[in-house]
């Protein structure tokens, strides 16, 4: 009775048996065709070749030139110099140590003045104030300009007779007017302010991106614990942006070492504006070129620049391997 009633409810026949679930077909690994191999090889080979031709070979060639004496014209006049070029720039080349001091001053100024200004701008613009997009564009505009153009703009600002700064000070066209770029006692500070104008906008953009990536729950937890805005930022938010901080430190160091365009536009890196990068160009280009000395200066600049780069890569890839 039970069987028949059950059969009647299921359509009059025995209940169908459930068979084994069908196996999912394994996806076959697609073999690369000859065309795919050629395309991938070209995508790897072409950038590598460009990097090799325009970066690594000139770098190695420059390092080799630093150990010879040569005027760059007659190959028969090429003579080995050993470390004489390095000994010359360390002992008998007057602009070298002032250039080192100016590069260090450039680094300290960007780190102590320009970077905090960029951080302050980022914090203010992160408050969702009205017109924040417009302010971001205004402060970031100098970053999109070349450093040579930045130098020209600030030349117009600092001109002795018709410059805006002397006009605001009421000294334009008078004997009391300051020659901001011609006076060796003040031109380095004028150039640093021009570099800060550009560097602060770059730092602002990086910190603004870092602030947007901070977990909002961290601020909520700090507020629940009774922390004020100042404590929340410096004890919670700022440490949470450690990767951004490392990037900004490296960028600041590199910017201070490769600073060139502004001072070269002003007075070709002379009269109180000596920098390592300017000395390299002075010895490699022009009538008084000394290829061995210029290459030795470039090698010194390369070695010093590699320190922050290696530090950044070590911290970045070391962290990835540990995780």
């Amino acid at each position: 009775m039970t069987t028949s009633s059950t059969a009647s409810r299921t359509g009059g026949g025995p209940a169908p048996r459930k068979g084994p679930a069908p196996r999912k077909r394994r996806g076959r690994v697609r073999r690369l065709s000859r065309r795919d191999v050629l395309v991938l090889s070209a995508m790897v080979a072409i950038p590598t070749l460009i990097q090799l031709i325009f970066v690594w070979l000139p770098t190695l060639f420059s390092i080799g030139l630093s150990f010879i004496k040569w005027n760059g014209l007659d190959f028969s006049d090429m003579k080995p110099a050993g470390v004489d070029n390095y000994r010359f720039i360390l002992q008998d080349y007057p602009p070298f140590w002032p250039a080192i001091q100016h590069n260090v001053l450039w680094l300290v100024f960007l780190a102590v003045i320009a970077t905090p200004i960029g951080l302050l701008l980022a914090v203010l613009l992160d408050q969702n104030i009205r017109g924040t997009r417009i302010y971001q564009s205004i402060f970031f505009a100098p970053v999109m300009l070349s450093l040579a153009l930045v130098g020209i703009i600030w030349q117009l600002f600092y001109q002795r007779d018709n410059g805006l700064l002397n006009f605001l000070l009421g000294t334009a066209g008078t004997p009391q007017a300051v020659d901001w770029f011609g006076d060796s006692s003040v031109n380095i500070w004028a150039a640093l302010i021009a570099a800060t104008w550009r560097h602060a906008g770059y730092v602002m953009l990086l910190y603004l991106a870092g602030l947007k990536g901070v977990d909002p729950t961290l601020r909520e937890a700090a507020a629940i614990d009774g922390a004020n805005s100042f404590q929340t930022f410096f004890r919670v938010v700022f440490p949470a942006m450690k990767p951004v901080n490392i990037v900004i430190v490296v960028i600041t160091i590199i910017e201070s070492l490769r600073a060139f365009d502004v001072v070269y536009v002003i007075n070709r890196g002379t009269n109180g504006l000596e920098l390592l990068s300017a000395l390299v160009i002075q010895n490699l280009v022009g009538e008084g070129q000394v290829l061995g000395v210029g290459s030795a200066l470039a090698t010194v600049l390369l070695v010093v620049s590699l320190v922050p780069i290696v530090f950044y890569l070590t911290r970045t890839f070391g962290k990835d391997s540990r995780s």
Side-chain angles (χ1 to χ4, degrees):
M1 184 71 180
T2 306
T3 304
S4 60
S5 62
T6 304
S8 62
R9 287 195 300 269
T10 57
R17 295 182 180 180
K18 294 182 179 180
R23 295 182 179 179
K24 294 182 179 180
R25 294 182 180 181
R26 295 182 179 178
R28 291 184 301 174
V29 178
R30 180 175 174 269
R31 298 183 62 181
L32 296 176
S33 64
R34 181 176 298 180
R35 181 178 179 180
D36 295 334
V37 173
L38 291 176
V39 171
L40 291 175
S41 301
M43 292 176 65
V44 174
I46 293 176
T48 303
L49 186 61
I50 294 174
Q51 188 85 359
L52 181 65
I53 294 175
F54 293 102
V55 177
W56 291 108
L57 287 181
T59 300
L60 296 176
F61 187 62
S62 179
I63 294 174
L65 283 176
S66 67
F67 295 100
I68 66 172
K69 290 183 179 180
W70 184 36
N71 59 7
L73 300 175
D74 187 3
F75 283 95
S76 62
D77 193 39
M78 186 181 297
K79 299 177 182 179
V83 295
D84 289 345
N85 292 323
Y86 293 95
R87 185 181 297 111
F88 172 75
I89 63 175
L90 292 175
Q91 298 177 358
D92 303 319
Y93 189 52
F96 178 72
W97 290 111
I100 293 291
Q101 296 174 3
H102 293 160
N103 276 109
V104 173
L105 177 62
W106 207 283
L107 170 61
V108 173
F109 196 90
L110 291 184
V112 177
I113 304 297
T115 299
I117 291 176
L119 176 60
L120 177 62
L121 292 174
V123 173
L124 294 176
L125 295 178
D126 190 49
Q127 305 301 318
N128 295 323
I129 60 177
R130 187 176 182 180
T132 181
R133 299 289 184 183
I134 299 176
Y135 294 131
Q136 291 178 26
S137 301
I138 292 174
F139 292 125
F140 186 71
V143 184
M144 297 183 290
L145 304 177
S146 67
L147 284 173
L149 183 57
V150 171
I152 295 174
I153 292 173
W154 283 89
Q155 265 193 331
L156 299 175
F157 181 77
Y158 282 129
Q159 278 184 353
R160 178 174 184 174
D161 296 327
N162 301 314
L164 178 61
L165 181 57
N166 281 328
F167 176 78
L168 295 175
L169 295 175
T171 58
T174 66
Q176 290 77 26
V178 180
D179 190 0
W180 298 98
F181 279 161
D183 190 346
S184 59
S185 61
V186 297
N187 57 8
I188 185 65
W189 303 105
L192 283 170
I193 292 175
T196 298
W197 181 58
R198 186 177 187 274
H199 186 72
Y202 191 22
V203 172
M204 176 207 70
L205 183 68
L206 294 176
Y207 269 128
L208 197 57
L211 289 170
K212 299 296 184 183
V214 175
D215 190 353
T217 59
L218 295 176
R219 304 186 185 189
E220 295 174 1
I224 293 174
D225 291 338
N228 55 33
S229 300
F230 186 86
Q231 294 171 333
T232 300
F233 179 78
F234 283 101
R235 296 187 180 182
V236 178
V237 177
F238 192 73
M241 295 191 297
K242 184 178 179 180
V244 179
N245 294 330
I246 295 176
V247 171
I248 289 177
V249 168
V250 174
I251 288 176
T252 302
I253 296 174
I254 294 176
E255 284 289 327
S256 66
L257 292 173
R258 74 180 188 92
F260 166 76
D261 306 70
V262 173
V263 298
Y264 203 76
V265 168
I266 295 171
N267 60 7
R268 297 185 179 273
T270 59
N271 189 31
L273 287 178
E274 294 83 2
L275 293 175
L276 284 176
S277 55
L279 296 184
V280 171
I281 298 301
Q282 290 171 13
N283 286 275
L284 291 180
V285 179
E287 297 179 357
Q289 62 183 7
V290 185
L291 294 183
V293 175
S295 299
L297 289 166
T299 303
V300 171
L301 185 59
L302 172 65
V303 172
V304 176
S305 301
L306 284 176
V307 174
I309 296 174
V310 171
F311 170 76
Y312 171 70
L313 294 177
T314 303
R315 294 295 300 269
T316 302
F317 290 103
K319 182 178 179 180
D320 292 341
S321 61
R322 287 192 299 269
S323 59

